[in-house]
Amino acid sequence: MKLARKHLLGLEGVSRSEIETILNAAESFKEILDRKIPKVPTLRGKTAVNLFFEPSTRTRVSFELAEKRLSADSISVAAKTSSSVKGESLIDTVKNLEAMKIDFLIVRHEAAGAAHFLASRIDVSVINAGDGCHEHPTQALLDLFTMRQRFGGLDGLKVVIIGDIAHSRVARSNLWGLKALGANVTICAPPTFLPPGIENLGAEVSTDLDDAIDGADVAMVLRIQKERQGEHLLPSFREYARLFGLNGKRAARLKKTGFIMHPGPMNRGVEIAPEVADGPRSVILDQVTNGVALRMAVLYLLSGGEIDDAMAH
Amino acid sequence: MRWLIRGAHLLDPGSGLDRTGDLLVEEGVIARIGGEIRVDGEVEEVAGKGLVVTPSFLDLHVHLREPGKEYAETIESGVLGALAGGFGGLVCMPNTTPPLDTNASVRFVVEEARRCSPVDVMPAGAITKGRSGEKLAEFGDLVDGGAVAVTDDGDTVADSGLMRRALEYARQFDLPVFTHPEDKNLSRGGVIHEGVVSTRLGLKGIPAAAEEIGIARDIRLAELTGGRLHVQHVSTARGAQLVRHAKEKGLRVTAETAPHYLALTDESLAGYDTNRKMNPPLRPAADRDALREALREGVLDAVATDHAPHAPHEKDREFDAAPFGVLGLETALAVLITHLVRPGHLSLETLVERMTCGPASVIGVAGGRIVEGAEARLTVFDPEASWVVDPNRFRSPSRNTPFAGERLRGEVRTVVIGGRVIAVGPRCGDNPDFPAPLSS
């Protein structure tokens, strides 16, 4: 199976079979990562630039590792050290990178649609590593991968996404991906965190976590974005923790086989209690481990690779 | 100079003219209107079959960008664009640098426009000094300089007490106060309409209520003061409804909307096209449909383009970073014929009314009339002619149209102002140097 795409900009409109192709490929790469020498020559001679205009540890390192494990030349640029601080526009910065003959541009930017914009202007494979409040497709894919790993498949799973949905690119990408794979999604948040029309995108909506989490397979907890404090979204983190924080008592309402995810970084004691984050139902660090294999799969498939080839390595 | 058009559709809703016939212009004046005019001596004769002759259009909402951002538009490129769109008059907004808040700055625009073309450029002065929303500008001086309205367009006067005084003070000049209605506390940071599309795209939304609260406040202040209020670019169904109620009450309230709100919806933003980013934003289909109805009924007095040039490098950016605004002058007629008249939402006669005497009544000018003895201010267009919008052929140095590449019907051919006959089209022909005065 090949992926008939040059870019990965989001999961909206990505089909079930495309997602399954990516997850299957990630399965193969995960085996490679368990080897003694976890490196293959698959993308030797290719160049990937990770251009991050927002802070990131997990995602950036995960992409860098994925690129290096595939033997691509990997370069990371952080906005604070780029020419954008001299006033260069995004498109000019990226046109210059393109002129140096790169193959992949992995971009994180605070403006929604930034990855779409660049993909329409340059002849380089663009991977969206998070654009504003829009999408973060590789995060959602690694979440789907982690769920599939646990449950075998996602059809009929009940997934509750808890937190600031309005400003979450992780929530949007997960919503599209989960729907494509047949899961049922409940969004649970105070009304100030609910974007208008979210119910029209195929999610159940709840403002009562005890009720929403009852019998769920997965609780996906999102980070409270403390930088949005000035927007009057919440009276206090304390009240949020009381009403929407995932504590042990609430986690116990999940199905017996149910587990807990968080894309990180966590605010312990706000959206998630420490004992839950570190507890036996937490797969938070598995998500991170899976991220590398998943990103290897995306890079490989976007460069025109086929799954059977990957298996052969 | 004598100019005769034969067998054209002569259409002037303002004077009740709607017939096929000939029209003769002599020395800049409409000399005769008739079935078949016989002329002796030299005359420039035009075959008018299939063409419509109307009073030249008047646009109540244009940003000329000079002084300050001449790279995006100059007064000269703006008036040439106006002619290409069939406009013989326009009201330009004061948000230049420096702003049009003094007699001298208003006079500069009027005089520079006169130097460039016969288009009647009528500035709107600022409501407040520096458009900063703090102190009233000198309305008397602005009027003496040629201002026909006052507005802080784009920057709503947030202080209700100050807006009240502006409406009161303007009464002595019978000067309309144009309002850009927006509660900035609700809209701040927003870039498109708040709804399911903003949710999908992850863009910050501007709720319809931001506009509606602004309209409601200013209508109430117009009632309190007896001032003349003109509501700019109404984009929502509820906004139009508020204007309807105000008119039913007999208040001195008028309103406009723009071609893009009548033709497009927020659904078309899926590709993050910054040439569809404007403020107020494109709304859902229900709002668009309500605006069409309000325009038909006359709740909306005028179609005004909110022509807002931005240079390509300003628009070719990520969506959040691009400025608000789209071009309108050169495409307005064709967009409205294509999206409203041809599908049957609006009659051609009503459209012409909303682009001629409708806007003229808002600012209290006579506007062009097709009657014998009147100064000739005419637009000739072919309502059937089809052309493809090519931004590279715009007179404006800016290219920010949402209609690029779209095939439209309806093409302006000629504008006659006073003694000058200015050929405009056909736009798909091979002369890119239009408009050039053929004779004067």
Side-chain angles (χ1 to χ4, degrees):
Chain A
M1 288 289 282
K2 291 179 83 163
L3 202 59
R5 282 179 186 271
K6 182 175 179 184
H7 311 292
L8 181 64
L9 306 177
L11 291 191
E12 183 178 1
V14 178
S15 69
R16 179 177 187 132
S17 78
E18 287 177 287
I19 293 174
E20 283 174 346
T21 298
I22 298 169
L23 301 188
N24 292 342
E27 211 78 67
S28 309
F29 284 111
K30 192 146 178 14
E31 285 163 31
I32 290 168
L33 293 176
D34 291 334
R35 294 180 191 169
K36 221 176 227 169
I37 299 173
K39 186 158 177 153
V40 288
T42 315
L43 293 185
R44 198 160 59 192
K46 303 269 185 193
T47 305
V49 173
N50 308 302
L51 182 60
F52 278 61
F53 289 90
E54 284 186 333
S56 166
T57 310
R58 234 170 316 273
T59 303
R60 205 190 69 209
V61 171
S62 181
F63 267 111
E64 280 179 27
L65 269 177
E67 291 149 8
K68 289 176 198 246
R69 301 287 191 232
L70 290 168
S71 304
D73 295 312
S74 166
I75 296 158
S76 291
V77 184
K80 275 182 189 153
T81 58
S82 79
S83 290
S84 66
V85 296
K86 299 180 189 168
E88 187 174 52
S89 71
L90 176 63
I91 188 66
D92 281 343
T93 300
V94 168
K95 288 250 178 207
N96 278 276
L97 296 175
E98 183 190 23
M100 290 185 242
K101 314 284 182 207
I102 64 170
D103 301 288
F104 295 100
L105 179 72
I106 293 88
V107 63
R108 168 169 291 188
H109 197 279
E110 64 273 13
H116 284 75
F117 168 62
L118 296 176
S120 71
R121 294 292 191 289
I122 58 170
D123 189 26
V124 169
S125 190
V126 175
I127 301 175
N128 183 5
D131 62 327
C133 305
H134 180 225
E135 288 226 38
H136 189 357
T138 57
Q139 175 70 44
L141 286 166
L142 72 87
D143 293 340
L144 299 173
F145 183 83
T146 307
M147 286 184 237
R148 199 176 77 161
Q149 207 175 29
R150 289 275 164 149
F151 293 111
L154 275 71
D155 281 299
L157 280 192
K158 183 181 174 189
V159 180
V160 187
I161 305 178
I162 308 148
D164 186 356
I165 312 300
H167 301 102
S168 174
R169 51 197 177 211
V170 175
R172 281 174 181 73
S173 289
N174 262 295
L175 179 58
W176 299 121
L178 287 164
K179 298 302 293 179
L181 295 189
N184 300 314
V185 182
T186 302
I187 298 290
C188 185
T192 45
F193 281 175
L194 294 172
I198 187 75
E199 64 284 357
N200 298 332
L201 301 185
E204 295 285 313
V205 176
S206 165
T207 53
D208 181 343
L209 181 55
D210 289 318
D211 181 50
I213 205 170
D214 200 41
D217 294 289
V218 177
M220 184 181 290
V221 183
L222 302 177
R223 179 175 73 92
I224 291 301
Q225 301 180 29
K226 291 191 168 173
E227 59 274 24
R228 294 191 184 278
Q229 244 178 311
E231 296 178 29
H232 314 299
L233 296 165
L234 292 176
S236 69
F237 298 132
R238 186 191 146 275
E239 177 150 304
Y240 182 81
R242 191 171 72 75
L243 297 174
F244 292 93
L246 189 59
N247 53 31
K249 208 170 134 199
R250 285 185 174 130
R253 299 174 74 94
L254 286 165
K255 255 191 212 146
K256 275 215 170 77
T257 51
F259 61 84
I260 291 145
M261 307 177 80
H262 192 304
M266 287 186 276
N267 299 299
R268 290 171 182 266
V270 183
E271 72 266 10
I272 191 162
E275 70 271 20
V276 174
D278 303 327
R281 288 167 166 245
S282 165
V283 296
I284 293 170
L285 293 175
D286 295 354
Q287 291 173 266
V288 179
T289 304
N290 290 337
V292 179
L294 188 282
R295 289 179 173 114
M296 288 170 79
V298 168
L299 288 160
Y300 173 70
L301 289 167
L302 290 182
S303 71
E306 296 187 38
I307 296 193
D308 290 347
D309 296 351
M311 305 283 238
H313 281 299
Chain B
M1 162 272 183
R2 293 203 296 174
W3 183 82
L4 175 67
I5 187 163
R6 286 212 186 272
H9 180 190
L10 308 176
L11 180 60
D12 174 16
S15 55
L17 176 71
D18 186 356
R19 62 169 291 184
T20 301
D22 299 357
L23 183 149
L24 176 68
V25 175
E26 268 180 351
E27 303 306 326
V29 171
I30 297 171
R32 263 189 288 164
I33 301 165
E36 201 169 325
I37 298 171
R38 288 179 45 169
V39 189
D40 301 323
E42 199 176 319
V43 65
E44 183 189 335
E45 196 171 313
V46 178
K49 190 162 186 298
L51 301 180
V52 183
V53 181
T54 67
S56 65
F57 307 144
L58 170 59
D59 191 343
L60 291 176
H61 199 144
V62 175
H63 296 270
L64 289 177
R65 303 298 185 215
E66 184 180 355
K69 284 195 176 174
E70 291 82 356
Y71 59 86
E73 188 86 282
T74 60
I75 290 169
E76 181 165 11
S77 67
V79 293
L80 291 179
L83 286 170
F87 293 92
L90 62 86
V91 177
C92 62
M93 294 298 114
N95 62 335
T96 48
T97 313
L100 308 185
D101 60 351
T102 62
N103 178 280
S105 54
V106 170
R107 261 193 304 125
F108 161 75
V109 172
V110 171
E111 284 166 16
E112 174 64 9
R114 261 187 213 139
R115 191 188 63 76
C116 300
S117 88
V119 173
D120 196 3
V121 172
M122 297 167 276
I127 293 175
T128 63
K129 288 181 178 135
R131 297 177 59 256
S132 59
E134 287 166 9
K135 287 183 173 157
L136 286 181
E138 293 160 323
F139 291 2
D141 267 12
L142 297 174
V143 170
D144 286 346
V148 296
V150 285
T151 180
D152 276 1
D153 177 46
D155 290 296
T156 316
V157 177
D159 180 336
S160 303
L162 180 55
M163 187 63 175
R164 172 230 173 120
R165 295 304 180 204
L167 281 158
E168 262 170 7
Y169 191 75
R171 270 175 35 203
Q172 65 186 308
F173 311 106
D174 200 27
L175 190 66
V177 177
F178 284 22
T179 182
H180 166 116
E182 181 180 355
D183 183 332
K184 300 266 185 189
N185 287 319
L186 274 173
S187 62
R188 192 167 294 120
V191 289
I192 70 169
H193 174 73
E194 181 179 293
V196 70
V197 176
S198 67
T199 292
R200 262 176 52 212
L201 297 179
L203 293 169
K204 186 162 165 60
I206 300 172
E211 168 175 308
E212 293 150 3
I213 287 169
I215 295 177
R217 180 198 75 165
D218 288 342
I219 285 175
R220 190 67 188 82
L221 292 176
E223 187 176 16
L224 174 68
T225 59
R228 269 173 75 185
L229 178 74
H230 175 69
V231 184
Q232 296 178 296
H233 44 52
V234 176
S235 71
T236 67
R238 291 280 290 278
Q241 186 67 10
L242 288 162
V243 173
R244 183 179 284 116
H245 290 327
K247 288 189 163 185
E248 283 165 3
K249 267 190 173 171
L251 304 182
R252 303 172 81 200
V253 173
T254 55
E256 69 186 39
T257 191
H260 37 273
Y261 304 119
L262 296 162
L264 304 173
T265 68
D266 63 342
E267 289 286 342
S268 74
L269 284 156
Y272 295 95
D273 180 2
T274 58
N275 289 328
R276 291 164 190 268
K277 177 180 176 180
M278 73 287 289
N279 185 21
L282 295 177
R283 305 287 187 185
D287 291 295
R288 179 201 58 191
D289 294 346
L291 293 175
R292 289 173 172 176
E293 173 67 24
L295 185 67
R296 189 164 51 231
E297 288 174 29
V299 169
L300 300 174
D301 303 81
V303 181
T305 65
D306 195 1
H307 178 83
H310 292 289
H313 72 271
E314 294 174 309
K315 275 291 196 181
D316 195 22
R317 303 199 58 179
E318 46 282 28
F319 199 87
D320 282 342
F324 291 107
V326 297
L327 298 178
L329 285 168
E330 297 192 47
T331 51
L333 176 73
V335 165
L336 295 164
I337 286 179
T338 305
H339 289 270
L340 270 71
V341 175
R342 291 183 65 87
H345 302 302
L346 197 71
S347 70
L348 185 64
E349 183 190 3
T350 306
L351 172 61
V352 169
E353 202 279 339
R354 304 293 185 260
M355 295 179 75
T356 56
C357 41
S361 66
V362 169
I363 52 171
V365 299
R369 286 280 191 276
I370 303 188
V371 290
E372 289 179 3
E375 189 199 6
R377 299 189 77 85
L378 306 169
T379 289
V380 182
F381 62 91
D382 180 344
E384 298 292 329
S386 130
W387 58 289
V388 175
V389 179
D390 175 3
N392 292 320
R393 297 191 58 186
F394 284 160
R395 280 67 175 175
S396 173
S398 294
R399 300 284 176 262
N400 52 313
T401 173
F403 301 104
E406 188 172 332
R407 177 165 289 280
L408 298 176
R409 301 288 287 269
E411 196 173 45
V412 176
R413 286 290 158 79
T414 310
V415 177
V416 180
I417 301 181
R420 295 176 71 180
V421 179
I422 300 142
V424 175
R427 302 169 60 91
C428 292
D430 34 53
N431 186 350
D433 299 325
F434 287 118
L438 288 188
S439 60
S440 31

